[in-house]
Short mmCIF file of all heavy atoms in Angstrom, two decimals:
data_model
loop_
_atom_site.label_atom_id
_atom_site.label_comp_id
_atom_site.label_asym_id
_atom_site.label_seq_id
_atom_site.Cartn_x
_atom_site.Cartn_y
_atom_site.Cartn_z
N LEU A 134 0.79 -1.19 0.00
CA LEU A 134 -0.03 0.00 0.00
C LEU A 134 0.84 1.22 0.02
O LEU A 134 0.30 2.37 -0.17
CB LEU A 134 -0.93 0.05 1.27
CG LEU A 134 -1.95 -1.14 1.25
CD1 LEU A 134 -2.76 -1.02 2.53
CD2 LEU A 134 -2.82 -1.11 0.09
N ARG A 135 2.13 1.16 0.21
CA ARG A 135 2.94 2.36 0.25
C ARG A 135 3.54 2.59 -1.09
O ARG A 135 4.32 1.86 -1.68
CB ARG A 135 4.09 2.15 1.26
CG ARG A 135 3.72 2.21 2.62
CD ARG A 135 4.94 2.21 3.42
NE ARG A 135 4.62 2.20 4.88
CZ ARG A 135 5.47 2.24 5.80
NH1 ARG A 135 6.74 2.24 5.52
NH2 ARG A 135 5.08 2.22 7.09
N LEU A 136 3.20 3.73 -1.66
CA LEU A 136 3.75 4.15 -2.93
C LEU A 136 5.11 4.83 -2.78
O LEU A 136 5.95 4.78 -3.63
CB LEU A 136 2.76 5.00 -3.73
CG LEU A 136 1.43 4.40 -4.03
CD1 LEU A 136 0.51 5.40 -4.63
CD2 LEU A 136 1.61 3.23 -4.92
N ARG A 137 5.23 5.50 -1.66
CA ARG A 137 6.53 6.22 -1.38
C ARG A 137 7.64 5.30 -1.03
O ARG A 137 8.74 5.69 -1.02
CB ARG A 137 6.35 7.21 -0.29
CG ARG A 137 5.47 8.43 -0.70
CD ARG A 137 5.48 9.47 0.39
NE ARG A 137 6.80 9.80 0.71
CZ ARG A 137 7.15 10.42 1.82
NH1 ARG A 137 6.19 10.76 2.66
NH2 ARG A 137 8.38 10.67 2.14
N ALA A 138 7.36 4.04 -0.65
CA ALA A 138 8.37 3.15 -0.23
C ALA A 138 9.36 2.81 -1.39
O ALA A 138 10.49 2.41 -1.19
CB ALA A 138 7.71 1.83 0.27
N LEU A 139 8.89 3.03 -2.66
CA LEU A 139 9.77 2.75 -3.77
C LEU A 139 10.68 3.90 -4.09
O LEU A 139 11.63 3.74 -4.85
CB LEU A 139 8.90 2.39 -4.98
CG LEU A 139 7.98 1.17 -4.77
CD1 LEU A 139 7.10 1.04 -6.02
CD2 LEU A 139 8.83 -0.11 -4.54
N SER A 140 10.39 5.03 -3.52
CA SER A 140 11.27 6.21 -3.85
C SER A 140 12.55 6.14 -3.07
O SER A 140 12.58 5.63 -1.99
CB SER A 140 10.44 7.51 -3.44
OG SER A 140 10.37 7.61 -2.02
N PRO A 141 13.66 6.70 -3.63
CA PRO A 141 14.92 6.61 -2.92
C PRO A 141 14.99 7.44 -1.66
O PRO A 141 15.69 7.08 -0.70
CB PRO A 141 15.93 7.13 -3.98
CG PRO A 141 15.16 7.72 -5.10
CD PRO A 141 13.73 7.27 -4.95
N ALA A 142 14.24 8.47 -1.54
CA ALA A 142 14.24 9.31 -0.32
C ALA A 142 13.70 8.56 0.86
O ALA A 142 14.20 8.70 1.97
CB ALA A 142 13.42 10.57 -0.53
N ALA A 143 12.66 7.74 0.65
CA ALA A 143 12.11 6.96 1.72
C ALA A 143 13.05 5.87 2.19
O ALA A 143 13.09 5.52 3.36
CB ALA A 143 10.77 6.35 1.34
N ALA A 144 13.78 5.26 1.26
CA ALA A 144 14.68 4.24 1.63
C ALA A 144 15.94 4.72 2.30
O ALA A 144 16.72 4.00 2.91
CB ALA A 144 15.08 3.36 0.39
N ALA A 145 16.31 6.01 2.11
CA ALA A 145 17.57 6.55 2.60
C ALA A 145 17.60 6.63 4.11
O ALA A 145 18.58 6.32 4.73
CB ALA A 145 17.87 7.91 2.00
N ASP A 146 16.51 7.08 4.74
CA ASP A 146 16.53 7.29 6.17
C ASP A 146 15.34 6.57 6.76
O ASP A 146 14.22 7.04 6.77
CB ASP A 146 16.43 8.76 6.51
CG ASP A 146 16.57 9.01 7.99
OD1 ASP A 146 16.84 8.07 8.74
OD2 ASP A 146 16.50 10.20 8.43
N PRO A 147 15.57 5.36 7.43
CA PRO A 147 14.44 4.63 8.00
C PRO A 147 13.86 5.25 9.20
O PRO A 147 12.82 4.88 9.68
CB PRO A 147 15.05 3.28 8.32
CG PRO A 147 16.52 3.54 8.50
CD PRO A 147 16.86 4.70 7.57
N TYR A 148 14.49 6.27 9.78
CA TYR A 148 14.05 6.92 11.00
C TYR A 148 13.22 8.22 10.72
O TYR A 148 12.78 8.84 11.58
CB TYR A 148 15.22 7.28 11.92
CG TYR A 148 15.96 6.04 12.27
CD1 TYR A 148 17.25 5.87 11.83
CD2 TYR A 148 15.45 5.09 13.14
CE1 TYR A 148 18.00 4.70 12.13
CE2 TYR A 148 16.17 3.97 13.49
CZ TYR A 148 17.35 3.77 13.00
OH TYR A 148 18.09 2.62 13.29
N ARG A 149 13.11 8.55 9.43
CA ARG A 149 12.30 9.75 9.12
C ARG A 149 10.81 9.37 8.94
O ARG A 149 10.48 8.38 8.28
CB ARG A 149 12.80 10.34 7.81
CG ARG A 149 12.04 11.61 7.44
CD ARG A 149 12.79 12.41 6.38
NE ARG A 149 14.00 12.89 6.79
CZ ARG A 149 14.27 14.01 7.49
NH1 ARG A 149 13.22 14.73 7.82
NH2 ARG A 149 15.39 14.40 7.81
N ALA A 150 9.95 10.07 9.59
CA ALA A 150 8.49 9.89 9.48
C ALA A 150 8.00 10.20 8.14
O ALA A 150 8.54 11.00 7.44
CB ALA A 150 7.80 10.66 10.59
N GLU A 151 6.89 9.51 7.74
CA GLU A 151 6.31 9.76 6.43
C GLU A 151 5.80 11.17 6.28
O GLU A 151 5.86 11.72 5.16
CB GLU A 151 5.17 8.77 6.24
CG GLU A 151 5.65 7.33 6.00
CD GLU A 151 4.47 6.45 5.87
OE1 GLU A 151 3.35 6.90 5.79
OE2 GLU A 151 4.76 5.20 5.75
N ASP A 152 5.36 11.77 7.30
CA ASP A 152 4.77 13.15 7.29
C ASP A 152 5.88 14.20 7.49
O ASP A 152 5.61 15.38 7.70
CB ASP A 152 3.61 13.38 8.19
CG ASP A 152 4.03 13.13 9.62
OD1 ASP A 152 5.19 12.77 9.90
OD2 ASP A 152 3.20 13.33 10.50
N GLU A 153 7.17 13.80 7.54
CA GLU A 153 8.34 14.65 7.65
C GLU A 153 8.42 15.32 9.02
O GLU A 153 9.16 16.26 9.23
CB GLU A 153 8.39 15.69 6.55
CG GLU A 153 8.42 15.16 5.16
CD GLU A 153 9.73 14.34 4.94
OE1 GLU A 153 10.77 14.69 5.40
OE2 GLU A 153 9.59 13.34 4.22
N THR A 154 7.71 14.83 10.04
CA THR A 154 7.85 15.36 11.39
C THR A 154 9.15 14.79 11.98
O THR A 154 9.62 13.74 11.54
CB THR A 154 6.62 14.97 12.27
OG1 THR A 154 6.54 13.53 12.33
CG2 THR A 154 5.34 15.56 11.77
N PRO A 155 9.68 15.44 12.98
CA PRO A 155 10.85 14.91 13.62
C PRO A 155 10.60 13.46 14.21
O PRO A 155 9.55 13.23 14.67
CB PRO A 155 11.19 15.89 14.75
CG PRO A 155 10.43 17.17 14.40
CD PRO A 155 9.25 16.72 13.58
N ALA A 156 11.60 12.66 14.13
CA ALA A 156 11.49 11.30 14.53
C ALA A 156 11.33 11.28 16.03
O ALA A 156 11.99 12.01 16.79
CB ALA A 156 12.63 10.51 14.15
N ARG A 157 10.44 10.40 16.56
CA ARG A 157 10.28 10.19 18.02
C ARG A 157 11.38 9.31 18.51
O ARG A 157 11.83 9.39 19.64
CB ARG A 157 8.92 9.60 18.27
CG ARG A 157 7.83 10.68 18.17
CD ARG A 157 6.49 10.09 18.53
NE ARG A 157 6.06 9.36 17.35
CZ ARG A 157 5.08 8.53 17.32
NH1 ARG A 157 4.42 8.18 18.41
NH2 ARG A 157 4.71 7.91 16.21
N PHE A 158 11.84 8.38 17.67
CA PHE A 158 12.93 7.47 18.05
C PHE A 158 14.22 7.92 17.34
O PHE A 158 14.26 7.99 16.12
CB PHE A 158 12.60 6.07 17.64
CG PHE A 158 13.78 5.15 17.73
CD1 PHE A 158 14.29 4.70 18.99
CD2 PHE A 158 14.39 4.68 16.58
CE1 PHE A 158 15.40 3.88 19.03
CE2 PHE A 158 15.50 3.88 16.60
CZ PHE A 158 16.01 3.45 17.89
N VAL A 159 15.17 8.26 18.12
CA VAL A 159 16.52 8.60 17.56
C VAL A 159 17.46 7.58 18.01
O VAL A 159 17.67 7.39 19.21
CB VAL A 159 16.87 10.08 17.99
CG1 VAL A 159 18.28 10.40 17.40
CG2 VAL A 159 15.88 11.05 17.64
N PRO A 160 18.16 6.90 17.12
CA PRO A 160 19.11 5.82 17.52
C PRO A 160 20.30 6.43 18.24
O PRO A 160 20.82 7.46 17.83
CB PRO A 160 19.52 5.18 16.22
CG PRO A 160 19.27 6.22 15.13
CD PRO A 160 18.14 6.99 15.67
N ARG A 161 20.65 5.74 19.36
CA ARG A 161 21.81 6.23 20.17
C ARG A 161 23.09 5.71 19.58
O ARG A 161 24.14 6.30 19.70
CB ARG A 161 21.65 5.73 21.57
CG ARG A 161 20.79 6.71 22.41
CD ARG A 161 20.71 6.29 23.86
NE ARG A 161 22.03 6.15 24.49
CZ ARG A 161 22.20 5.50 25.59
NH1 ARG A 161 21.22 4.79 26.15
NH2 ARG A 161 23.40 5.39 26.05
N PHE A 162 23.09 4.53 18.97
CA PHE A 162 24.28 3.90 18.55
C PHE A 162 24.16 3.67 17.05
O PHE A 162 23.39 2.78 16.63
CB PHE A 162 24.49 2.56 19.25
CG PHE A 162 24.52 2.68 20.74
CD1 PHE A 162 23.48 2.23 21.52
CD2 PHE A 162 25.56 3.27 21.41
CE1 PHE A 162 23.48 2.32 22.89
CE2 PHE A 162 25.62 3.43 22.75
CZ PHE A 162 24.59 2.95 23.48
N ASN A 163 24.89 4.45 16.29
CA ASN A 163 24.93 4.24 14.84
C ASN A 163 26.23 3.59 14.51
O ASN A 163 27.28 4.25 14.46
CB ASN A 163 24.72 5.59 14.10
CG ASN A 163 23.39 6.16 14.23
OD1 ASN A 163 22.39 5.38 14.14
ND2 ASN A 163 23.26 7.45 14.40
N PHE A 164 26.23 2.27 14.32
CA PHE A 164 27.45 1.55 13.99
C PHE A 164 27.71 1.62 12.55
O PHE A 164 26.85 1.33 11.72
CB PHE A 164 27.36 0.18 14.51
CG PHE A 164 27.21 0.06 16.01
CD1 PHE A 164 26.02 -0.33 16.58
CD2 PHE A 164 28.24 0.35 16.87
CE1 PHE A 164 25.84 -0.43 17.95
CE2 PHE A 164 28.10 0.29 18.26
CZ PHE A 164 26.94 -0.11 18.78
N SER A 165 28.95 1.88 12.17
CA SER A 165 29.31 1.81 10.73
C SER A 165 29.57 0.32 10.37
O SER A 165 29.68 -0.49 11.21
CB SER A 165 30.57 2.63 10.46
OG SER A 165 31.65 2.04 11.16
N ALA A 166 29.67 0.09 9.10
CA ALA A 166 29.89 -1.22 8.58
C ALA A 166 31.33 -1.71 9.13
O ALA A 166 31.45 -2.84 9.41
CB ALA A 166 29.86 -1.33 7.09
N ASP A 167 32.25 -0.80 9.19
CA ASP A 167 33.60 -1.16 9.71
C ASP A 167 33.51 -1.57 11.18
O ASP A 167 34.19 -2.48 11.66
CB ASP A 167 34.56 0.01 9.55
CG ASP A 167 34.93 0.29 8.13
OD1 ASP A 167 34.80 -0.64 7.29
OD2 ASP A 167 35.31 1.44 7.81
N ASP A 168 32.66 -0.89 11.97
CA ASP A 168 32.53 -1.27 13.36
C ASP A 168 31.94 -2.62 13.49
O ASP A 168 32.32 -3.38 14.37
CB ASP A 168 31.59 -0.23 14.08
CG ASP A 168 32.23 1.10 14.29
OD1 ASP A 168 33.47 1.14 14.35
OD2 ASP A 168 31.45 2.10 14.42
N LEU A 169 30.94 -2.96 12.73
CA LEU A 169 30.28 -4.24 12.81
C LEU A 169 31.14 -5.38 12.28
O LEU A 169 30.97 -6.51 12.72
CB LEU A 169 28.96 -4.23 12.03
CG LEU A 169 27.94 -3.28 12.60
CD1 LEU A 169 26.76 -3.16 11.68
CD2 LEU A 169 27.54 -3.59 14.02
N MET A 170 32.06 -5.14 11.33
CA MET A 170 32.85 -6.16 10.77
C MET A 170 34.26 -6.26 11.33
O MET A 170 35.11 -7.03 10.92
CB MET A 170 32.96 -5.94 9.26
CG MET A 170 31.63 -5.98 8.52
SD MET A 170 30.69 -7.49 8.76
CE MET A 170 31.74 -8.67 7.88
#
């Protein structure tokens, strides 16, 4: 049902709300691929 899910902007930031309001959940730990590997 989501048409915006196919757009690159929606896939870029999973923490951005659909209505562009500030996210209620902000991740505390953003691990890079190098950190994880």
